[in-house]
Amino acid sequence: MVVIKNVQKISVPEYLNEKFFTDTLEEGLRETKVTLKEINFEWGSNPGDNYCSAIYRVQVKFAKWVDGKESPVEEQLSLIVKTIPITEATQFLEDVSVFIKEKQTYTDVLPRLDILSRNDKFGAEYYHSVKAPVQTIVFSDLKVEGFKVASREAGLDWNHASLILQQLGKFHATSMVLAKKDPAIVKQYTRGMLSEDILMKSDTFEHMFGGFLKGLIKCSASWAGFEKISANLQRLMDNFRRVCVDAAKPKPGDRYVVLNHGDMWTNNFMYAYENASKPEDPTRAIFVDFQLSFYGSPACDLNFFLNTSLKFELVQERREELIKVYYAAFKDALEYARFEDIPTYEDLQYELRSRETYGLFGLFAFLPMITMPKELAQDNSIENMQDEAFKQRKMDAIFAQKFLNDYQKWALKRADSLGVFGDY
């Protein structure tokens, strides 16, 4: 009989049962038969950190079968179980096939990227997935390998930001190599966060993220010298869906395309710390959550990341240095793969400028959520954000933060100086 442990008394769906985890182990470990002994459930993320999924950390104890007999050796494994319940509010996720895309990324794309690179590891190990009764995918627990998530509220310092940008450079570069070897892969990754399929079919997206834009418009209207910028933000609100779609979709002047991670902010990558003499400096970085990946301009990932995930002083003072760190890793990975026609740094600069509105989206839609103190974030969900009274209370509390005001003032002035508001 399998022992079930649930110390935190979390709500666990019925289908996450003995059969599910037996199937998970047999598929993931490529074993003919295993006997499950114990299942121990914990939350895999903090409340309010994930809007569209429920994440569980599950420790399992089991025995393999060898030569028709159960082994006396009991083994233990820690798994991450990600469930994507589709509700009326999250139907848009089903419409853009996030489950199928993420499964394909883990089972097909990432293993090929590992081979085409210097054996860089870009994601966790895939174990098992089911589409019903709830879309669910199981991975290895990166925490066991020493990885952990950096603080989303504090923002990344130089060591964390530069390391993940090196990893992103390698990921982007290797995806170009893959696309050259297998051009059909590009057509399988056309829909990202700002695709027409999401924005034009779903009111949820505009209700949720448009609410943050309204909060910024209200706030900026009270800032001295921001009258024109506030008016330009209102014009964006009036044309919300079209501007957001145009930020991501292919343009005639695009210099090159890569596989974008598609959701490049702090909770979607993890760090390992293996230098005992510098325990706070990360040594490795890895990505999680590939459900919104798409082939498009590399500046979509970069501008989104640079507008959502860094310490304020870092983005103010060392933005250009970070971009150069990214490009050096990108170029090196392409040279390693003997890729012809490597994009130049000037090509990258062109892409960054042409996709500034993508960064603007990150600034108004994600920065307020990402930097939100934990006490404000605990009841965050897509469903709650549909309630106008709830959303208004949340917005008032969020936009009362001086840090957020200072960050957005600086970023909006920068966008204005570059002429970004003339891009839509």
Side-chain angles (χ1 to χ4, degrees):
M1 182 177 172
V2 177
V3 176
I4 308 291
K5 293 184 178 179
N6 187 348
V7 176
Q8 297 175 340
K9 294 183 169 57
I10 62 179
S11 176
V12 178
E14 285 185 16
Y15 75 94
L16 295 182
N17 53 26
E18 179 180 353
K19 182 183 185 310
F20 177 89
F21 287 105
T22 300
D23 290 346
T24 294
L25 291 169
E26 289 175 353
E27 180 183 356
L29 299 173
R30 295 165 179 78
E31 293 288 338
T32 306
K33 186 175 182 180
V34 302
T35 300
L36 201 58
K37 303 290 186 179
E38 182 179 298
I39 309 171
N40 190 345
F41 291 97
E42 299 174 10
W43 279 123
S45 63
N46 296 317
D49 278 356
N50 295 88
Y51 279 74
C52 303
S53 57
I55 298 176
Y56 308 91
R57 175 168 282 107
V58 184
Q59 277 93 28
V60 290
K61 291 181 180 177
F62 61 96
K64 295 174 183 175
W65 281 60
V66 182
D67 298 327
K69 293 185 295 185
E70 182 183 314
S71 168
V73 179
E74 194 171 280
E75 300 184 43
Q76 187 167 320
L77 195 63
S78 186
L79 302 166
I80 292 295
V81 180
K82 176 181 176 180
T83 68
I84 311 169
I86 300 300
T87 64
E88 186 178 349
T90 59
Q91 181 59 43
F92 67 91
L93 295 172
E94 176 82 352
D95 295 340
V96 295
S97 308
V98 296
F99 171 76
I100 297 299
K101 181 193 291 183
E102 187 157 38
K103 180 179 178 180
Q104 179 183 0
T105 303
Y106 276 100
T107 58
D108 177 39
V109 174
L110 294 185
R112 287 199 278 171
L113 294 185
D114 288 350
I115 293 167
L116 292 170
S117 68
R118 291 186 177 89
N119 288 317
D120 290 303
K121 185 176 180 180
F122 295 114
E125 185 181 346
Y126 168 89
Y127 271 79
H128 180 57
S129 61
V130 295
K131 196 168 185 182
V134 177
Q135 296 180 353
T136 304
I137 193 161
V138 186
F139 319 102
S140 59
D141 183 1
L142 291 168
K143 189 176 179 182
V144 172
E145 299 177 44
F147 288 94
K148 61 183 180 180
V149 177
S151 168
R152 62 169 176 79
E153 311 100 286
L156 303 177
D157 60 18
W158 171 266
N159 289 333
H160 288 80
S162 59
L163 184 61
I164 195 62
L165 282 172
Q166 289 175 57
Q167 192 74 347
L168 184 64
K170 296 173 191 176
F171 179 74
H172 282 175
T174 313
S175 76
M176 288 180 69
V177 179
L178 176 62
K180 191 167 185 177
K181 292 180 178 293
D182 181 11
I185 199 78
V186 177
K187 295 175 183 175
Q188 296 172 38
Y189 284 84
T190 57
R191 295 180 294 190
M193 187 188 301
L194 299 185
S195 72
E196 288 190 66
D197 293 314
I198 289 182
L199 282 153
M200 295 306 180
K201 291 180 182 177
S202 168
D203 290 335
T204 301
F205 196 91
E206 184 170 351
H207 285 159
M208 183 175 180
F209 296 119
F212 285 104
L213 179 54
K214 287 177 183 175
L216 180 55
I217 292 167
K218 180 182 175 183
C219 215
S220 62
S222 67
W223 298 336
F226 278 79
E227 295 80 10
K228 186 179 173 184
I229 289 175
S230 189
N232 280 320
L233 291 173
Q234 182 59 55
R235 189 164 51 82
L236 196 163
M237 187 71 241
D238 295 341
N239 301 278
F240 183 84
R241 298 190 191 202
R242 181 186 61 77
V243 174
C244 288
V245 167
D246 286 348
K249 75 179 184 181
K251 297 181 181 183
D254 287 347
R255 303 283 176 93
Y256 62 104
V257 300
V258 301
L259 181 61
N260 280 261
H261 175 275
D263 201 3
M264 269 296 293
W265 66 278
T266 325
N267 276 18
N268 287 333
F269 32 88
M270 301 176 76
Y271 297 95
Y273 302 80
E274 297 153 323
N275 186 345
S277 64
K278 297 180 180 177
E280 294 183 4
D281 290 354
T283 52
R284 287 188 292 153
I286 198 165
F287 300 109
V288 298
D289 199 346
F290 292 91
Q291 62 188 26
L292 292 170
S293 298
F294 68 100
Y295 267 94
S297 169
C300 294
D301 265 353
L302 284 165
N303 282 334
F304 187 84
F305 172 78
L306 292 168
N307 279 281
T308 59
S309 303
L310 308 180
K311 288 187 179 297
F312 182 30
E313 60 271 20
L314 186 60
V315 75
Q316 277 183 298
E317 298 165 10
R318 304 184 73 179
R319 187 179 187 277
E320 189 72 21
E321 285 180 76
L322 287 169
I323 293 166
K324 287 178 178 176
V325 165
Y326 160 87
Y327 181 75
F330 170 79
K331 184 181 178 186
D332 178 67
L334 287 176
E335 288 174 343
Y336 172 79
R338 297 180 182 176
F339 190 85
E340 295 179 4
D341 302 321
I342 296 175
T344 65
Y345 187 69
E346 192 273 330
D347 289 331
L348 174 59
Q349 292 284 62
Y350 175 89
E351 290 297 321
L352 286 165
R353 175 60 191 87
S354 77
R355 301 291 171 170
E356 282 285 352
T357 48
Y358 204 103
L360 192 60
F361 169 77
L363 181 74
F364 72 72
F366 272 76
L367 182 66
M369 288 194 295
I370 292 168
T371 58
M372 197 184 302
K374 280 191 169 67
E375 59 272 18
L376 270 181
Q378 287 185 350
D379 53 358
N380 284 353
S381 70
I382 285 183
E383 284 76 16
N384 282 346
M385 285 296 185
Q386 304 307 298
D387 180 86
E388 286 301 320
F390 173 91
K391 188 161 66 177
Q392 191 55 57
R393 289 195 305 273
K394 186 72 70 174
M395 293 301 161
D396 288 345
I398 290 167
F399 284 97
Q401 300 174 98
K402 183 180 184 300
F403 157 79
L404 182 62
N405 292 167
D406 291 345
Y407 200 124
Q408 291 187 320
K409 281 178 182 178
W410 177 86
L412 289 171
K413 284 286 190 185
R414 175 185 171 274
D416 192 34
S417 70
L418 291 172
V420 176
F421 299 115
D423 291 355
Y424 59 83

